[in-house]
Each structure stands twice: as C-alpha cells, then as structure tokens.
Amino acid sequence: QLQLVESGGGSVEAGGTLTLSCAPAGYSYNDLCMGWFRQSPGKEREGVAAILSDGRMRVAESVKDRFTVSQGRTKNTLILRMTNLSPEDSGIYYCAAEVTACGFTPADFGYWGQGTQVNVSS
C-alpha cells in the first residue's frame, strides 16, 4: 500500500525558513493528489498547499505570500518551502495523498504520513 515519507521538520526562530519534503513509497501511481496539511492544538486540520493531478497548485490564502509548493525530482514528491515563519505556523505538518480526484480539504485524502513537527519560536 502507499506510504508517505516526510522530512524537513524542525525548530527555527521567527523569520526563519524550513523546507518540507514528502515522498510516496511502496506503490506506483500515474496520478496522485498530493498536499500538505497542518494542525496545531485547539485548531482543526487545515490545508497548507497542494498539487493536483492536472498540475494546478493551491496554496492557502493565509500563507501564500510566504510558502511555495513544487514537485521534486522524484515523481510525485511534494516540496513545501516555508519562509518568514512565525509562531502561528507551529504545529504538526502532515503529507497526504489520494489516488483519485481531490479538493483542498482533508476529507478528500485517503493516505496520510505520520506528520513532522514544526516549531517556530518568538
């Protein structure tokens, strides 16, 4: 079955930069919806950025001026570059994938990584 390998989380000071990577493993798919979601204590899981199977890119309005999403050299690998981080960006970031069409909501994704912690200090 499809597995998602996440990397790149860590701790940075406000204003710093982190780059997250998600690589599918264990199965081959021609088309995948791939996205990054995040969740902090007391808040619902929310979409951060995604690349749809037709190549369209989505980035949440709250972070679009600071975050960018791209495809890595490995097929379906999803890269999230986060700049000018603030404490409000802290949380667990989850990579997600779906083998069928998807929107920009967690309910549309059937495969999830274990999450990678992002901590931004003041």
Side-chain angles (χ1 to χ4, degrees), residues 2-3 6 21 26-27 34 38 42 48 51 57 60 63 70 73 78 90 93-94 103 105 107:
L2 177 64
Q3 296 179 331
E6 302 151 317
S21 177
Y27 224 88
M34 297 283 294
R38 69 183 182 185
V48 178
I51 296 180
M57 298 183 182
V63 301
S70 62
R73 298 185 67 181
L78 190 65
S90 298
Y93 283 67
Y94 297 92
T105 179

Side-chain angles (χ1 to χ4, degrees), residues 43-119:
K43 296 183 178 181
E44 296 182 348
R45 189 170 300 186
E46 63 179 356
V48 178
I51 296 180
L52 306 181
S53 59
D54 62 1
R56 290 182 296 164
M57 298 183 182
R58 295 285 301 278
V59 182
E61 290 292 325
S62 61
V63 301
K64 68 177 182 179
D65 58 333
R66 299 181 293 117
F67 294 7
T68 59
V69 63
S70 62
Q71 186 177 28
R73 298 185 67 181
T74 302
K75 186 178 181 180
N76 294 133
T77 298
L78 190 65
I79 307 297
L80 179 68
R81 187 169 189 266
M82 306 183 292
T83 65
N84 195 24
L85 286 162
S86 69
E88 289 72 26
D89 296 314
S90 298
I92 302 176
Y93 283 67
Y94 297 92
C95 179
E98 178 55 52
V99 298
T100 60
C102 64
F104 198 38
T105 179
D108 287 348
F109 291 79
Y111 298 88
W112 293 84
Q114 294 182 346
T116 184
Q117 183 73 46
V118 171
N119 291 315

